[in-house]
Amino acid sequence: MSAPPPTVPLRVVAVTYSPGEVLEGFVESLAEATTRPVEVVLADNGSTDGAPERAVARHPHVRLLRTGGNIGYGAAVNAGMAGLTDGYALVANPDVRFDPGSVDELLAVATVGPAIRTPEGELYPSARDLPRLSTGAGHALLGWAWPGNPWTARYRREREAPRERPAGWLSGSCLLVDVAAFWSVGGFDPGYFMYFEDVDLAERLTRRGWLHVYAPSAVVEHEGGHATRRQPHRMQRVHHTSALRYLSGQYPLRRHAPLRLALRAGLGGRMLVSNVSGRVAAGARFQRRAEGVGRAVRRRGRS
């Protein structure tokens, strides 16, 4: 699918839940991220800090869509995407800041996932393989203590130099979505409150023959951790519950029942440990720095 004409606004959907001052940085950074007009839809899950209302008052291209309550990330994105049938849309967390030209780079490459940089300058492994039983178990059990273990390395593909390539799944914190593809599988599964909704979407799209491409020539910065810092134990529970939902769905048959029980026990145990150990809760540290990644990838691609 080709990129939308320059005169057609690109819809940007952000799910908000009392996002604070980071929302202003999100909206302002979009002005330099693309030369196209944009319409920003804030799918609001019940903010009480007034930040979405301030953004609407300051920026005429920002619209507030109240979802009616804290319905979860995927369901709110679906609501923000309503009415679109083709072209592209950008889904992003409100604590993302876009590097200049990054959205235009995504549209020019006609791909979906940028390089994501943390505020500490690390390269977030946002383009991973779909989790399988062996890599998922090794990553979950050993990643927090041994970040460079072979299972985590295989899953996150951090030993590879950043380059444009296919990926099993791409982080939902910033994702350029082919709208027709998105709706062909029903959008995000609202059964995931948070976490793994992007993995599940990618798996369903893959089964339909769609390709997911990582484009590190586009770079954004993602602060991350807002929901986790506010409610750490609840978010750990949600994260492990979502992981169980996804992995159990890969083994749905009656003969898989012992495996599903083992997954429930293993993930339940890890959740309990993560509630008392911040190191386990944090998971595997990132293994690459992000300095110059967008410029370096552009140079390689044009040489």
Side-chain angles (χ1 to χ4, degrees):
M1 176 176 290
S2 61
T7 56
V8 176
L10 173 71
R11 185 174 300 185
V12 180
V13 178
V15 178
T16 52
Y17 182 67
S18 295
E21 293 305 315
V22 296
L23 182 58
E24 187 64 19
F26 171 88
V27 176
E28 289 185 348
S29 69
L30 269 173
E32 295 187 3
T34 180
T35 58
R36 298 176 183 274
V38 297
E39 57 165 350
V40 180
V41 176
L42 304 179
D44 188 67
N45 274 350
S47 294
T48 58
D49 65 351
E53 290 82 0
R54 289 193 295 272
V56 170
R58 293 169 181 166
H59 305 282
H61 61 288
V62 177
R63 174 164 60 93
L64 181 60
L65 173 66
R66 301 187 192 277
T67 64
N70 194 1
I71 63 174
Y73 185 79
V77 170
N78 291 349
M81 293 274 287
L84 290 180
T85 58
D86 57 15
Y88 287 99
L90 185 66
V91 176
N93 285 12
D95 57 349
V96 161
R97 294 198 176 192
F98 300 90
D99 275 20
S102 56
V103 174
D104 281 343
E105 185 74 18
L106 285 177
L107 290 166
V109 177
T111 184
V112 288
I116 298 177
R117 181 181 61 231
T118 70
E120 294 75 30
E122 297 168 312
L123 183 63
Y124 178 77
S126 59
R128 311 186 187 192
D129 285 350
L130 286 169
R132 302 300 180 203
L133 192 59
S134 59
T135 53
H139 172 62
L141 292 173
L142 299 173
W144 64 274
W146 180 19
N149 74 78
W151 296 277
T152 296
R154 188 181 310 129
Y155 171 49
R156 301 205 310 196
R157 299 181 66 169
E158 287 183 285
R159 292 178 182 173
E160 303 176 25
R163 60 184 174 84
E164 187 176 316
R165 60 171 174 82
W169 67 278
L170 296 153
S171 171
S173 62
C174 187
L175 190 64
L176 188 70
V177 175
D178 183 311
V179 175
F182 182 81
W183 289 127
S184 75
V185 296
F188 282 117
D189 180 351
Y192 292 90
F193 179 75
M194 276 185 67
Y195 308 112
F196 276 82
E197 68 282 314
D198 42 13
V199 185
D200 171 76
L201 177 69
E203 196 271 337
R204 288 183 285 122
L205 286 168
T206 297
R207 281 193 268 120
R208 285 289 190 99
W210 295 96
L211 185 67
H212 317 283
V213 180
Y214 176 52
S217 55
V219 183
V220 305
E221 182 172 296
H222 182 210
E223 182 175 335
H226 281 256
T228 302
R229 285 193 293 270
R230 283 185 290 193
Q231 297 177 304
H233 293 328
R234 183 188 180 213
M235 290 300 102
Q236 283 296 326
R237 183 172 67 253
V238 169
H239 184 273
H240 286 83
T241 299
S242 293
L244 178 62
R245 178 185 174 89
Y246 176 80
L247 291 171
S248 295
Q250 304 304 300
Y251 302 96
L253 301 180
R254 181 176 296 180
R255 61 186 173 88
H256 296 140
L259 177 57
R260 292 195 298 272
L261 286 173
L263 286 168
R264 182 180 295 273
L267 287 166
R270 190 185 186 281
M271 180 187 69
L272 292 174
V273 173
S274 68
N275 283 337
V276 297
S277 170
R279 189 178 176 191
V280 174
R285 289 190 60 83
F286 309 142
Q287 299 296 291
R288 279 190 173 272
R289 302 291 298 174
E291 285 86 351
V293 64
R295 295 187 297 275
V297 171
R298 287 192 192 96
R299 285 197 296 270
R300 286 199 298 271
R302 294 170 185 170
S303 61

